[in-house]
Amino acid sequence: MTITDFLQLIIFGIVSGAIFALGGIGISVIFGILRFAHLAHGDMMTFGAYLALAAITSLHLPVLAALPIAMIGTAAAAIAIDYVFYRRFRQARPVVLLISSFGIALVLRSAVQLIWGPGNYVYESGISIPYVIFDLRIKPDHLLIVASTIAIIVAFHLFLTYTRLGKAMRAMSDDPDLARVSGVDTERVVVWTWAIGGALAAAGGVFLALDTQLNPLLCWNILLPMFAAAIVGGIGRPYGAIAGGLLIGIVEELSTSFIDPAYKPAVAFVIMVAVLLWRPTGILKGTT
Amino acid sequence: MSDDLLVIDNVHGGYGGADILTGASLRVSGPEIVVIVGPNGAGKSTLMKSIFGLVQIRGGTISALGHDITNQRADLIAKAGLAYVPQERNVFPSLTVDENLDMGGYLKKSDAAHKDRIYAIFPQLANRKTQRAGSLSGGERQMLAMGRALMIEPKLLLLDEPTAALAPKLVDETLDKIGEIKALGVGVLMVEQNAKQALARADRGIVMVMGKVRMEDDAANLLARPDLPELFLGG
Amino acid sequence: MDMGGLLNYAIFFATFAGIFAVVALGLNVQWGLSGQFNFGIAGFFAVGSYTTAILTSEPVATRIGGFDLPIVVGLIAAMILSALVAWAVGWVTAGLRTDYLAIATIGVAECIRLIVKNEDWLTNGVRGIPGIPRLAADWFGPSPWIMLLLVAACVIFAYAAIEAARASPWGRLQLAIRENERGATAAGKNIARARLEAFVFGAAFMGLGGALYAHLFGFISPEAFGPNFSTFLVWVMLIAGGSGNNKGAILGSFVIWLIWSGTEILTNRLPVEYVNQAGALRLLLIGLLVQVVLIYRPQGLLPEKL
Ligand SMILES: Nc1ncnc2c1ncn2[C@@H]1O[C@H](COP(=O)(O)OP(=O)(O)OP(=O)(O)O)[C@@H](O)[C@H]1O
Ligand SMILES: [Mg+2]
């Protein structure tokens, strides 16, 4: 492998890492607040990607303009799903939520297929010409994905750090009872958790669709690397999920020069299991 | 009787199994310090949790500042003007000291002047504003927990063993702080194992045994009783 | 449909439901008895299917085997291999918390699916394995009956074995671990081992179910083990029937399979332009059904008796 090939793979890894991070943050935050592994997260992303498709085809918007529509729509859908289903299981054992979200994953996936059909779509047809810098090929779409992801993550960081609600979310994932005692209406925080998780999920879905093609299994297929990102970063810690996403993305891409690319998802899986066994709190554990 | 800060009337309740509280009653009227003592497992912490809706109440009523708060949601009880420092896990470990205080003032939006007053009461916290609460020492953590609770400017403060696991020197210091808090016009209901030191600064004392209030008297009278240790041990 | 067609349909229905019952019984060991999550049922099912397919089909040049062995050998080997895979998986994952175990088992199923899809020399890849022998016995009449009989025998075998295990000291240990994991960790090593045993024991029946499936259809391909249809359906069956209750697992399999088949009759009445979407609509309904069960009858039709 030449140094150029290596750097090229790193670039691809950063792109998929950004997408994993967007999903992984949602998984991590939802886990922190609601204490369950949200198995429908991938399909929620797929749903967001299709919402953007609807906006693009019906309103003739560019992808970047369709993105906020998809984010708001998916946030609303996530809140609605929580209100109709998950909310009823807050007092139940956590496994009930696991099973329920597995069912919701199926519902979302089938709904996407019912509405848009089982076929493949792309947002914009035509070939974009990559920029070439020092023999490295960088696609405009990839730049768009990475830049937008950085913008979204910075906004998310500012929200968590400086807003009252952001602090309440962090407080609640530290200790829900103490948050309640401090006067936090935890159900309201839960609503915002879904709003943010859903919006970031939609962004991840749109970016993956932009990089590949839409189909009903689009983001179910990356559920494993996203969970791997959240777990590697220490589940419940959204910043960890960002680092975890990049790590998983880059390692997955690098692995393709040693093993059959068909086994890429297995690479994420192996890393995840290794971390679970070696350091269940995540390898990027901060100072709590 | 709306000038009563807290009225607990014949409360029964617990954690799912048998009731831990078996008819507890007490009253806090106005800015006074009321100390609850009693043997381990008497249900003191459970009583505190039940006031804040964290334990299911199966009988009896609790009212505060004229509102019925029986089995109320904790955030609404905070809204009514009560604050609570649990015995364990009473700060948000991954938040900074400053953010912990912000969380205490969650209901009041932002009130920088009040936060400065809290820092004035607990000067050691002022040097550690940006440090994570999880990395504080035991004494600092207890101060932060009290500071967090005072941020909502409560009418009544519930403290569950604020001096547990503190060095002897810090015990007195902490109890003195509680005197200062009363001077701000706040009623204090606290559970305390250091019975003598606490009663010395309190207005009234309550002895709790097996889920009930066994005895209630002026703090001075309780302190004067030669059989206090036996009462305390639940004999 | 004439009477003969209806009867054939009923036989097919019962056979298929019975296969699911075997798998649901296996899950009832892992989840109902031992409290271990497994969202990778499809993986163990696939291991069982491919094991028997390779062993019992006729030799082919393009891949390993077939070995043309008797079906019984295929069934037993399917159980053993599925158990071995479960042992390897469980050995790694035994200590994981429930939610991590859920993710990890999804990952295992995904890896097995990747292998099945990509290792042509072993599984013939996406083309699948045809020509898996079906049961035939001239002395017994048409073969659908004998397949049903075989599946019924397997259901009875699984039920009896699992009931016996449940009543044994081993089963009581499982319950004790499930109910009071924290208290029981005193003997940590034995607990990890007991959990592993339950995981392996349950997986053997999932493999058996997969093998029966292969012999029912005579053809398997990675499509059949695609993302979680079978895994999810088995979970719905166990929860609806009553996890922890073996009769419930069997009842749930038949009831849910009836509902699943019933939705097919429903979707057949859809306008033509929607017919190829029928599968998605049915999945959506099942996904909603599980929510309804979890909300209104989380203990299932036949609750566990402790
Ligand atoms: N979360 C819980 N779930 C079930 N039982 C509990 C729980 N917390 C406490 N108990 C039980 O309730 C009883 C009373 O406990 P509580 O904590 O109220 O006692 P306490 O008077 O505060 O004692 P201490 O002086 O040790 O703090 C004890 O028997 C205890 O075992
Ligand atoms: Mg206590």
Side-chain angles (χ1 to χ4, degrees):
Chain A
M1 189 165 51
T2 67
I3 187 81
T4 313
D5 293 342
F6 178 78
L7 290 176
Q8 189 70 55
L9 287 178
I10 297 272
I11 289 171
F12 291 150
I14 290 172
V15 173
S16 37
I19 294 165
F20 297 161
L22 287 170
I25 289 174
I27 287 170
S28 212
V29 172
I30 290 165
F31 189 92
I33 302 278
L34 290 147
R35 313 270 156 194
F36 83 104
H38 185 225
L39 298 178
H41 211 72
D43 297 285
M44 204 171 252
M45 293 169 75
T46 308
F47 181 77
Y50 275 87
L51 279 187
L53 177 72
I56 289 166
T57 49
S58 64
L59 304 172
H60 306 289
L61 295 175
V63 176
L64 215 47
L67 179 64
I69 297 177
M71 289 172 78
I72 293 169
T74 310
I79 293 170
I81 289 168
D82 179 68
Y83 186 80
V84 178
F85 301 110
Y86 299 153
R87 183 174 58 98
R88 299 169 196 273
F89 307 124
R90 297 247 209 283
Q91 307 306 322
R93 296 176 304 158
V95 291
V96 173
L97 276 165
L98 273 181
I99 298 168
S100 172
S101 68
F102 202 65
I104 294 297
L106 219 58
V107 170
L108 280 171
R109 201 181 309 156
S110 324
V112 162
Q113 192 174 335
L114 277 176
I115 301 170
W116 286 283
N120 290 320
Y121 294 96
V122 292
Y123 285 143
E124 286 157 344
S125 45
I127 305 159
S128 61
I129 301 151
Y131 308 118
V132 181
I133 304 161
F134 298 122
D135 288 346
L136 292 176
R137 283 163 295 112
I138 300 180
K139 285 204 247 169
D141 282 352
H142 285 173
L143 270 186
L144 179 81
I145 291 171
V146 173
S148 314
T149 302
I150 291 173
I152 289 170
I153 286 177
V154 167
F156 174 69
H157 165 74
L158 295 175
F159 165 80
L160 271 191
T161 314
Y162 296 110
T163 67
R164 186 165 167 262
L165 201 61
K167 283 178 209 167
M169 277 177 72
R170 285 187 292 139
M172 196 175 153
S173 82
D174 260 13
D175 192 330
D177 273 351
L178 193 59
R180 260 175 226 121
V181 163
S182 304
V184 176
D185 177 351
T186 47
E187 277 301 304
R188 198 167 148 255
V189 174
V190 167
V191 168
W192 279 99
T193 303
W194 284 111
I196 288 163
L200 294 187
V206 169
F207 295 154
L208 184 61
L210 190 60
D211 194 28
T212 58
Q213 283 183 329
L214 287 114
N215 67 72
L217 285 174
L218 180 71
C219 299
W220 163 263
N221 287 331
I222 61 163
L223 189 69
L224 273 184
M226 290 189 305
F227 264 97
I231 288 169
V232 167
I235 199 151
R237 295 193 198 91
Y239 297 110
I242 300 167
L246 286 176
L247 182 84
I248 299 283
I250 290 171
V251 173
E252 265 197 15
E253 288 303 328
L254 290 179
S255 75
T256 57
S257 49
F258 308 106
I259 59 170
D260 184 346
Y263 285 104
K264 227 162 46 168
V267 173
F269 173 68
V270 169
I271 297 174
M272 180 180 82
V273 169
V275 169
L276 282 177
L277 296 175
W278 171 50
R279 267 183 88 164
T281 50
I283 50 175
L284 304 162
K285 186 171 177 325
T287 52
T288 28
Chain B
M1 293 247 290
S2 59
D3 56 337
D4 278 332
L5 291 181
L6 180 72
V7 181
I8 299 179
D9 185 19
N10 195 25
V11 160
H12 294 254
Y15 301 91
D19 281 355
I20 305 291
L21 302 173
T22 54
S25 302
L26 64 83
R27 183 182 296 260
V28 180
S29 5
E32 55 173 347
I33 298 181
V34 179
V35 170
I36 303 176
V37 296
N40 290 113
K44 306 180 298 291
S45 296
T46 307
L47 181 67
M48 299 295 239
K49 287 183 214 162
S50 74
I51 297 171
F52 250 88
L54 301 175
V55 163
Q56 180 74 27
I57 297 170
R58 302 199 191 93
T61 57
I62 302 184
S63 61
L65 302 143
H67 306 283
D68 182 7
I69 57 163
T70 318
N71 285 328
Q72 184 69 272
R73 262 167 45 194
D75 55 307
L76 297 178
I77 294 172
K79 235 177 193 160
L82 269 63
Y84 169 42
V85 178
Q87 183 172 354
E88 285 152 351
R89 301 200 304 147
N90 49 24
V91 298
F92 299 106
S94 78
L95 271 55
T96 64
V97 167
D98 209 51
E99 289 171 338
N100 265 276
L101 294 188
D102 289 344
M103 281 316 295
Y106 182 78
L107 287 170
K108 307 198 65 96
K109 314 277 153 101
S110 66
D111 185 349
H114 186 57
K115 195 152 80 177
D116 288 340
R117 279 201 291 280
I118 303 289
Y119 279 128
I121 300 176
F122 304 108
Q124 14 339 23
L125 295 180
N127 307 324
R128 304 203 182 280
K129 284 185 187 176
T130 58
Q131 191 174 324
R132 278 175 202 273
S135 66
L136 295 177
S137 71
E140 289 162 345
R141 202 182 292 209
Q142 203 55 249
M143 298 289 165
L144 177 58
M146 281 196 263
R148 196 215 84 240
L150 287 173
M151 277 298 290
I152 52 169
E153 298 185 54
K155 296 276 182 299
L156 175 67
L157 176 61
L158 308 179
L159 297 173
D160 196 348
E161 303 204 13
T163 67
L166 292 189
K169 182 175 144 285
L170 283 175
V171 172
D172 279 321
E173 195 180 318
T174 308
L175 291 173
D176 288 341
K177 292 285 178 207
I178 294 166
E180 285 179 42
I181 291 169
K182 176 190 160 189
L184 296 172
V186 179
V188 178
L189 176 65
M190 72 168 161
V191 176
E192 195 40 81
Q193 298 281 24
N194 294 303
K196 289 223 161 99
Q197 283 149 289
L199 284 171
R201 293 163 174 88
D203 298 291
R204 285 189 300 122
I206 282 168
V207 181
M208 201 171 160
V209 180
M210 290 180 68
K212 282 193 182 66
V213 172
R214 149 91 53 110
M215 177 177 298
E216 184 180 347
D217 208 339
D218 280 350
N221 294 349
L222 271 182
L223 257 182
R225 286 179 71 126
D227 58 345
L228 181 66
E230 287 96 86
L231 284 172
F232 181 69
L233 293 170
Chain C
M1 224 188 305
D2 61 278
M3 275 316 283
L6 206 62
L7 182 66
N8 268 335
Y9 187 78
I11 294 173
F12 178 75
F13 170 85
T15 310
F16 217 152
I19 291 175
F20 273 111
V22 172
V23 180
L25 283 165
L27 181 63
N28 204 22
V29 178
Q30 295 180 338
W31 171 243
L33 184 61
S34 177
Q36 294 179 76
F37 235 68
N38 183 355
F39 270 151
I41 298 170
F44 300 100
F45 197 81
V47 169
S49 283
Y50 275 93
T51 304
T52 198
I54 292 164
L55 290 180
T56 62
S57 59
E58 285 177 6
V60 193
T62 53
R63 61 171 170 86
I64 210 166
F67 297 99
D68 208 6
L69 293 169
I71 289 176
V72 169
V73 177
L75 295 184
I76 293 171
M79 288 183 79
I80 293 173
L81 212 72
S82 185
L84 279 176
V85 171
W87 183 80
V89 169
W91 189 74
V92 176
T93 60
L96 295 184
R97 260 171 32 193
T98 302
D99 34 13
Y100 291 156
L101 191 59
I103 307 293
T105 48
I106 288 177
V108 168
E110 211 41 32
C111 290
I112 290 173
R113 201 174 64 86
L114 289 177
I115 293 171
V116 162
K117 214 168 131 185
N118 292 301
E119 301 305 317
D120 288 15
W121 60 274
L122 184 66
T123 64
N124 209 25
V126 287
R127 289 180 301 280
I129 298 183
I132 303 161
R134 306 199 206 185
L135 277 189
D138 294 335
W139 48 268
F140 197 77
S143 68
W145 277 107
I146 190 155
M147 190 61 205
L148 177 59
L149 212 65
L150 174 67
V151 168
C154 289
V155 173
I156 292 168
F157 162 63
Y159 177 82
I162 295 171
E163 278 289 304
R166 191 185 159 85
S168 72
W170 181 85
R172 287 197 297 277
L173 173 67
Q174 296 293 341
L175 281 177
I177 295 171
R178 189 193 73 186
E179 290 303 311
N180 182 20
E181 230 184 321
R182 222 171 302 144
T185 35
K189 246 197 188 129
N190 294 335
I191 288 175
R193 194 182 148 161
R195 282 169 63 91
L196 180 57
E197 283 166 359
F199 196 72
V200 169
F201 187 46
F205 292 104
M206 294 173 180
L208 178 61
L212 291 170
Y213 173 90
H215 291 294
L216 177 63
F217 284 96
F219 169 74
I220 54 171
S221 75
E223 293 266 292
F225 314 102
N228 301 297
F229 158 63
S230 51
T231 295
F232 190 69
L233 214 53
V234 173
W235 267 100
V236 180
M237 286 165 171
L238 182 61
I239 293 166
S243 59
N245 185 321
N246 288 324
K247 288 196 188 75
I250 298 173
L251 177 68
S253 303
F254 279 80
V255 169
I256 297 299
W257 191 241
L258 189 66
I259 293 175
W260 178 252
S261 309
T263 58
E264 183 167 25
I265 296 168
L266 210 77
T267 52
N268 280 346
R269 291 168 185 267
L270 284 174
V272 217
E273 59 266 35
Y274 291 114
V275 164
N276 59 355
Q277 298 287 61
L281 182 60
R282 294 167 73 198
L283 276 179
L284 190 141
L285 292 176
I286 286 288
L288 289 177
L289 176 67
V290 79
Q291 313 298 332
V292 172
V293 172
L294 287 174
I295 293 170
Y296 296 105
R297 198 157 173 92
Q299 74 279 34
L301 294 168
L302 299 178
E304 179 176 23
K305 288 190 281 284
L306 283 174

